[in-house]
Amino acid sequence: MPRNPRFDPLFEPVRIGPVTAPNRFYQVPHASGMTNALPRTRAAFRETKAEGGWGVVCTGACSVHPSADDSPLPFASLWDDDDIRSHAVMTEAAHRHGALAGVELWHGGAIVANRTSRLAPISPSGLPWMPTHLGFMSNLKPRVMDRDDIAALRRWQAEGARRALSAGFDIVYVYAGMGYLPYEFLLPDYNRRTDEYGGSVENRVRLVRELIEVTKDAVGDKCGVALRISLEELRKRPGTHAESEAHEVIALLADLPDLFDVKMDSSPTDCSASRFAPEGSHEPVIEFVKKLTDKPVVGVGRFTSPDAMLSQIRRGVLDLIGGARPSIADPFLPRKIDEGREDEIRECIGCNICISSWHDGVPVRCTQNATAGEEWRRGWHPERFDRAEKPERVLVVGGGPSGLECARVLALRGHEVTLADAATEWGGRLRFETKLPGLASWGRVLDYRLPTLKTAANVELYLDSRIGADDALGFGCDRIVVATGSRWTRALYSPLELPGGELNHPRVLTPDDLASGTAVEGPAVVFDFDNYVIGGLVAELLALRGIDVAYATPAGHASAWTLMTNELPRVHQALARRGVGVTTLQTVAGFDGETLTLRHLFTDSGTRLPCRTLVLVGLRRADDSLYQALTARSEEFADAGLRSVTRIGDALAPGAIAHAVHSGHAFGREFDLEAPIYRRDRPFVDFGTFETLPQ
Ligand code: ADP
Ligand code: SF4
């Protein structure tokens, strides 16, 4: 289909200093968990986006010196010439599709603990960065940079830029954002220097200016030089000569970089989960930048709607539409708009599972796009599917995320698919979870998949169809896929910190009971050791219904695992806003239908809370009764013409939606392959690696 001419402006080229982006789709630097040790994985991940139409694709943070060592978190490096090769495969891959390649040269300053390099972290004034935050906690405090250190930083940046040029990059960054070293100089609370690098805004900007200058000198007229800068905190500070310090900083640097890449200051606001920030949420902070500079400006905002993108361009907020999460969820987003297929965009749901991969130190995972990170390892392409050599008849039981994805992939490969669900609506767990406060956009998991299934000639869909073993065996298919999900149990949490011992009392409920409409009598307590979003959200839901509700957990925080998804601070804010009291480090010691007795995990001290309903959000168990019933009758398979029965998704191992989608995708791609690809990436090994520390 031809492109809708309304979207033509999104496909205009944009000059970035000496280079030209072919369109306005700009994949900004974002963490991928892919270090120099995974060069082919990284190249294929970025190449897929270039192929999908992103005019610029960038690396994540790329350290310029061993004193910027974020381990155990993953990061790239350009510490010496031997690092060049691992990046060159990525730039070549981007260039194959006409995209520009950018590199986010980076020094973490006080944030990094240099756990591997064991160098003292460097900082403007010797203060640790947010030292009570788990990610930044370290016993090794940063030292104060002297003039020689500042000169060394300029050298490292220049050397990094020279190597970036050799690696084939077209855009080279100076990174003054997110608490990293150049940003640390910008912030007056943190930069307490009394020399020419501290005090006035002019002085605090000096380091950033110098880094841009040395980068320009290093790359000459071959690369564009981008400044990535966080503006949230500076914008809150009134300026002496302008509306805010952010205005002053941008005005001082207005002519210097070839591109401004503007963002927020910390992960929870920069990369907020959808439940806390809508599409385009950065605009009120960054909207002024274009008024102060003629240079192009790129920014993000989890843009998935072409109209929202267009509006940013039309209203003069941005010149380039930055994408990190939308480019992970759909590497082919630009191409789909270009080909008039915008209704096929696989929209990011804003769950931030991708970010949890970085915190876990592993290659990126995505709820919506099971192929993210698997492009090279398993040869999975987000848009291309090998046709099955011999189409088979497959019955998929369960229309939740795993069954939907499995059926989609099977259908795209040409198999004859029947998808059945006992419920009267599709979506499985999504039916309840999307009704929880703020989770409506998780419905995109269903919205993306259902239309394909409804229109495919080789798919039959049956709702309101509970499938038993007799039905399945009598169906006459080659394969049965059991995607029947999981159930919440009434298990408690023992003082040994193990799940166990079910609490069966008529006033003990689980999320499944709430999903099926069981009424909750207040006061209620949610006891959560699942630690992801459901416990906190169930408490919010009850509060919204006017029920007096408290939240208790054995963990140290509410929804403790959401530390991994950037949600944790805002989970606490949301619970406080709804009047839900949070009690941490507790186990349940007793419940009689009127009073809940909690016991402190460490001190054993007791707390009694009024409680007429206890909602347990703890252990989920696979609902695999159909699978068990079928495999118990395996001697009947041959007569029934059945070749296999397989469990996928939560029915195999309860997990996040991302796990279920990946599990369904893997079955659809690989069940009929003799030997599915599973490659092991390795670093490029050179032996000229530096023998003295770069000075
Ligand atoms: P997953 O996350 O693995 O996709 P879900 O719990 O979201 O799992 O979805 C499981 C789906 O399976 C639910 O919609 C449920 O109604 C359906 N289901 C469970 N058992 C049966 C069955 N025997 N026949 C048909 N559908 C079933
Ligand atoms: Fe979006 Fe979630 Fe995928 Fe991240 S994991 S890109 S937030 S859908």
Side-chain angles (χ1 to χ4, degrees):
M1 265 199 289
R3 181 206 300 163
N4 183 333
R6 195 165 88 247
F7 301 131
D8 285 353
L10 297 174
F11 293 87
E12 289 160 355
V14 179
R15 273 198 79 74
I16 301 173
V19 297
T20 301
N23 59 36
R24 296 185 189 269
F25 295 94
Y26 190 111
Q27 182 250 285
V28 292
H30 73 77
S32 68
M34 296 163 193
T35 64
N36 288 22
L38 300 172
R40 299 162 192 85
T41 309
R42 184 167 63 190
F45 175 61
R46 305 286 181 199
E47 175 170 16
T48 310
K49 302 188 195 198
E51 186 193 351
W54 294 87
V56 181
V57 293
C58 299
T59 66
C62 181
S63 170
V64 292
H65 187 263
S67 59
D69 154 27
D70 217 6
S71 55
L73 291 171
F75 59 95
S77 61
L78 272 170
W79 288 349
D80 67 11
D81 287 358
D82 294 341
D83 276 341
I84 292 173
R85 206 168 139 202
S86 86
H87 291 283
V89 288
M90 179 280 210
T91 62
E92 285 159 16
H95 293 159
R96 274 200 285 281
H97 302 279
L100 300 179
V103 57
E104 185 183 51
L105 296 184
W106 162 81
H107 198 295
I111 282 188
V112 295
N114 292 341
R115 292 178 176 91
T116 302
S117 72
R118 301 203 62 178
L119 301 171
I122 54 177
S123 70
S125 308
L127 298 176
W129 184 264
M130 298 173 83
T132 55
H133 275 240
L134 194 58
F136 305 132
M137 261 186 216
S138 169
N139 291 327
L140 182 62
K141 305 303 173 212
R143 67 181 177 82
V144 182
M145 291 170 79
D146 61 20
R147 272 160 208 258
D148 290 345
D149 294 317
I150 290 175
L153 180 68
R154 287 194 300 261
R155 258 195 327 273
W156 302 335
Q157 173 76 19
E159 278 298 288
R162 185 188 60 71
R163 291 185 188 115
L165 179 59
S166 305
F169 285 108
D170 310 285
I171 298 170
V172 180
Y173 270 74
V174 170
Y175 191 8
M178 302 285 278
Y180 297 130
L181 187 53
Y183 172 89
E184 292 168 2
F185 275 78
L186 293 176
L187 204 63
D189 309 51
Y190 197 71
N191 176 353
R192 313 265 178 88
R193 298 177 76 94
T194 51
D195 63 4
E196 70 270 33
Y197 291 95
S200 66
V201 174
E202 288 79 359
N203 280 359
R204 283 181 270 134
V205 162
R206 190 178 309 277
L207 180 75
V208 175
R209 170 186 290 283
E210 290 176 355
L211 292 174
I212 298 170
E213 285 166 352
V214 297
T215 308
K216 290 206 127 184
D217 287 347
V219 299
D221 60 359
K222 300 279 188 306
C223 303
V225 174
L227 171 64
R228 195 170 213 202
I229 187 164
S230 292
L231 297 169
E232 197 180 0
E233 200 53 48
L234 291 167
R235 181 125 203 213
K236 288 181 196 154
R237 290 156 199 274
T240 319
H241 320 292
E243 188 183 324
S244 77
E245 288 206 347
H247 288 73
E248 293 184 348
V249 167
I250 296 294
L252 284 165
L253 297 171
D255 299 326
L256 211 48
D258 299 314
L259 170 75
F260 282 90
D261 180 339
V262 292
K263 61 186 329 223
M264 310 289 259
D265 291 40
S266 69
S267 284
T269 51
D270 191 57
C271 206
S272 178
S274 55
R275 64 168 157 148
F276 299 120
E279 185 169 2
S281 65
H282 293 201
E283 185 177 328
V285 170
I286 57 85
E287 114 296 332
F288 73 94
V289 177
K290 257 188 70 62
K291 299 188 181 89
L292 299 182
T293 177
D294 296 329
K295 303 297 171 118
V297 177
V298 62
V300 293
R302 210 168 42 77
F303 296 115
T304 58
S305 140
D307 284 305
M309 298 173 196
L310 199 60
S311 155
Q312 294 280 314
I313 307 293
R314 284 256 153 80
R315 291 183 296 112
V317 181
L318 298 173
D319 298 293
L320 292 141
I321 301 301
R325 289 172 291 174
S327 74
I328 301 173
D330 196 344
F332 274 59
L333 181 150
R335 188 82 92 82
K336 288 176 182 173
I337 301 173
D338 195 18
E339 294 171 0
R341 298 187 291 129
E342 49 273 9
D343 54 346
E344 290 177 33
I345 293 172
R346 189 169 41 238
E347 291 185 286
C348 166
I349 70 168
C351 61
N352 285 2
I353 284 291
C354 47
I355 289 155
S356 77
S357 331
W358 180 69
H359 287 129
D360 275 338
V362 296
V364 70
R365 308 174 274 257
C366 171
T367 298
Q368 277 282 58
N369 176 13
T371 68
E374 302 284 20
E375 299 86 352
W376 185 83
R377 181 168 67 168
R378 297 167 97 132
W380 290 359
H381 188 278
E383 303 293 316
R384 279 197 295 276
F385 296 85
D386 292 336
R387 298 290 290 184
E389 277 179 25
K390 286 194 213 115
E392 299 192 27
R393 289 197 66 200
V394 187
L395 170 65
V396 181
V397 184
S402 66
L404 289 163
E405 177 71 353
C406 184
R408 182 182 81 91
V409 175
L410 288 168
L412 289 168
R413 295 195 53 225
H415 293 290
E416 293 293 322
V417 186
T418 301
L419 179 64
D421 199 293
T424 51
E425 282 173 64
W426 297 108
R429 58 191 287 180
L430 295 166
R431 290 192 296 271
F432 175 61
E433 293 180 11
T434 54
K435 307 278 184 316
L436 292 168
L439 289 201
S441 65
W442 288 26
R444 291 173 173 184
V445 172
L446 176 62
D447 298 343
Y448 170 66
R449 289 167 177 81
L450 199 53
T452 313
L453 295 170
K454 280 190 168 160
T455 50
N458 54 342
V459 177
E460 288 184 12
L461 298 172
Y462 296 99
L463 281 172
D464 208 1
S465 306
R466 177 164 294 282
I467 306 292
D470 286 339
D471 308 313
L473 283 171
F475 196 73
C477 54
D478 302 302
R479 315 270 178 181
I480 296 174
V481 182
V482 178
T484 47
S486 63
R487 304 286 298 168
W488 292 94
T489 70
R490 289 173 165 71
L492 288 175
Y493 197 74
S494 82
L496 269 181
E497 303 211 37
L498 296 172
E502 299 227 347
L503 183 59
N504 287 308
H505 185 287
R507 293 219 185 112
V508 173
L509 303 182
T510 71
D512 291 326
D513 298 314
L514 301 192
S516 57
T518 307
V520 174
E521 203 181 319
V525 178
V526 175
F527 182 73
D528 177 16
F529 64 90
D530 171 61
N531 303 321
Y532 189 30
V533 291
I534 302 296
L537 286 171
V538 162
E540 280 193 56
L541 179 75
L542 297 182
L544 275 168
R545 288 182 185 166
I547 295 165
D548 178 9
V549 57
Y551 170 100
T553 176
H557 290 98
S559 300
W561 191 79
T562 61
L563 177 73
M564 309 295 271
T565 50
N566 289 348
E567 292 167 281
L568 189 67
R570 301 182 86 169
V571 167
H572 277 261
Q573 288 162 14
L575 288 169
R577 205 169 43 244
R578 306 217 196 269
V580 179
V582 172
T583 317
T584 58
L585 299 174
Q586 303 294 328
T587 56
V588 170
F591 175 60
D592 61 8
E594 295 293 337
T595 304
L596 175 72
T597 307
L598 297 171
R599 186 151 293 144
H600 195 276
L601 196 58
F602 302 151
T603 66
D604 224 23
S605 60
T607 308
R608 286 160 63 81
L609 297 177
C611 178
R612 289 182 63 77
T613 308
L614 174 61
V615 184
L616 289 179
V617 186
L619 187 67
R620 275 193 292 152
R621 280 204 187 282
D623 181 1
D624 63 352
S625 52
L626 176 61
Y627 174 82
Q628 299 298 348
L630 285 168
T631 49
R633 293 167 62 177
S634 56
E635 72 283 356
E636 297 172 43
F637 286 8
D639 286 348
L642 186 61
R643 300 174 64 188
S644 66
V645 176
T646 312
R647 279 171 298 184
I648 61 166
D650 290 329
L652 176 67
I657 294 169
H659 299 118
V661 170
H662 187 272
S663 169
H665 192 99
F667 180 90
R669 284 260 186 194
E670 297 179 343
F671 83 94
D672 53 348
L673 305 185
E674 221 159 78
I677 300 171
Y678 199 88
R679 294 192 282 198
R680 189 173 157 204
D681 208 352
R682 288 172 174 79
F684 294 125
V685 179
D686 290 295
F687 292 103
T689 307
F690 61 75
E691 291 182 353
T692 55
L693 194 62
Q695 296 301 306

